[in-house]
Amino acid sequence: MSNEADRAKLDEKVKKASQLLFLRRHRAPGVREWELKKVVGDDYPAVLKALDEKLDSLGLTVKQVIDGGKPRFLIVTKGKPPGDLEPAMGGFKIDAVAALAMALVFLISHGGRAPPSEVESFLSGKFNPQRARTLLARFQDEGYLQTGKGGAYELGWRSKAEIDLGELANNIVSSGSKTSFSKPSSQPP
Amino acid sequence: MEKNKSRLRIIDAFRKIEGGEIDPFSFDVKKSIPELRNELKADDLQELSEDAGAINALSGIVNAQGNEVEFLTASSATNPFLLEKTVEALSVEEIAWSLWRSMTPSIDIAQLTAQALKLSLKYKGKGKKIHWQERSGTLVKTKISQSQEFEPKLDSIIQELKELGETDYSSFLNKGDRLERAYLLSFAVTEGMVALKIDPINKKAKIVALKEKAKTDSSVVIPLEEF
């Protein structure tokens, strides 16, 4: 087969892969390896590499993460989002974004796992208990948290894919030191 | 019971560690090994099974300790106590911004499918929750193959409309699967391939296929009764 025909075939597969990755068909974003194999074929790694090169100019990249012991692929922004953009995470309000940060910080400070009742109690410092429970259930649905074998909350695959936990901890501590020594601002802290 | 003291203690500790109730390092593995070794004298199958359970629990505890070291090394060297206390002192906005500045959010496009529309109408009629299996079922059916069928269907509906000329929106939907036709038409209108006209007096909607693509500049509300 000629190079041109190979190129056309690859382009067609890149289109399919981009549709599969961009169009959300489940509650959580991304696709599993078996879905990619089924739609794109066994050569999906080469197709994803070609797609990644195209996405680079848009400031996006294809990321692989392990979900339930198996690979999952999703498109994420390349680098941090611009600082002048308001926090926007799939319809989460700003209080939900804060609640997720609190849950993650609590897990970080407890070695990556904690009983649901303790996480709920920590969130109840800023949210009413019912709201805290609802948000935690949603974070599980969206893949940010998961329940481990013993029933404890653990970091979900999506937190590992989208969030730099070390940087979150540093940002929290640096925001805390600013708050301690200066007047709080309503603008991006 | 006294005989199995170490075995039960190890299994209980492992259960609590798995449940996140205690720190994996609160359990002294080194001290437990000789104690457990003294108890491992299986006389029958039941005893053997309990011995295996205890050894499995002990290895699970060692694994949990390893995971914790790995996690703490990868996530942060920040003092956990300080971290929790700092979060408590921050405002909701400050916490949200801290997360936002440390993430690379995933990108996708939300889409409304014909199946989702059908479900919404079903919900609207009954006013009660739809079982999750039914919801999942519709999602499973929404595969990429549908998008491959989409364009020919869209072309066909526009061609049909071209042959008919200007026609009543509702009666056009009646010529086939109403929801599917409405779904396809919504794309045709949005793309400027079909014009949707609403009579201001009798509120009747008419549609006409356009020879050239036109820009759509307004949204039109179609009453639910039309469906």
Side-chain angles (χ1 to χ4, degrees), chain A:
Chain A
M1 197 183 280
S2 69
N3 281 346
E4 213 165 281
D6 284 345
R7 185 77 226 169
K9 204 173 167 187
L10 180 67
D11 284 347
E12 194 53 40
K13 286 189 172 188
V14 167
K15 277 184 202 168
K16 276 187 182 177
S18 73
Q19 286 177 6
L20 198 60
L21 285 159
F22 272 119
L23 295 176
R24 190 194 278 212
R25 290 166 314 287
H26 311 284
R27 181 127 199 199
V31 290
R32 292 179 187 275
E33 187 182 32
W34 69 264
E35 291 176 279
L36 269 170
K37 276 187 180 171
K38 191 177 168 194
V39 176
V40 179
D42 286 339
D43 59 342
Y44 77 87
V47 177
L48 289 187
K49 191 169 177 276
L51 174 62
D52 199 44
E53 282 164 13
K54 284 182 190 284
L55 290 174
D56 186 59
S57 58
L58 298 173
L60 304 173
T61 186
V62 179
K63 189 157 189 174
Q64 180 183 337
V65 65
I66 300 299
D67 172 21
K70 289 179 181 164
R72 190 182 186 109
F73 300 86
L74 65 162
I75 294 174
V76 299
T77 58
K78 199 166 193 175
K80 303 289 175 281
D84 53 349
L85 284 182
E86 286 280 324
M89 291 168 54
F92 280 178
K93 288 180 183 170
I94 198 158
D95 70 328
V97 180
L100 176 59
M102 286 182 75
L104 295 175
V105 162
F106 193 79
L107 291 180
I108 292 171
S109 60
H110 284 76
R113 54 170 54 201
S117 58
E118 288 184 20
V119 184
E120 266 177 44
S121 164
F122 184 62
L123 261 64
S124 299
K126 296 221 185 277
F127 305 94
N128 78 52
Q130 179 58 39
R131 175 81 175 139
R133 269 194 294 279
T134 308
L135 287 171
L136 287 169
R138 189 168 171 199
F139 299 151
Q140 281 193 85
D141 284 347
E142 299 264 353
Y144 285 109
L145 296 181
Q146 66 182 38
T147 308
K149 278 182 193 166
Y153 277 152
E154 294 175 352
L155 296 170
W157 63 270
R158 204 168 161 191
S159 294
K160 292 172 191 165
E162 296 182 7
I163 300 161
D164 182 336
L165 297 170
E167 198 172 337
L168 170 64
N170 290 337
N171 288 341
I172 291 282
V173 172
S174 61
S175 297
S177 50
K178 278 181 207 162
T179 305
S180 306
F181 299 108
S182 62
K183 197 180 165 191
S185 157
S186 59
Q187 289 306 305

Side-chain angles (χ1 to χ4, degrees), chain B residues 100-134:
Chain B
W100 183 239
R101 285 197 307 253
S102 61
M103 73 183 302
T104 52
S106 63
I107 307 291
D108 57 41
I109 302 165
Q111 56 174 343
L112 189 59
T113 61
Q115 281 85 359
L117 272 172
K118 278 180 184 170
L119 267 180
S120 308
L121 288 173
K122 193 174 171 186
Y123 174 79
K124 172 94 184 157
K126 288 183 181 171
K128 63 181 180 185
K129 281 189 176 177
I130 299 166
H131 194 269
W132 70 269
Q133 277 180 332
E134 206 174 339

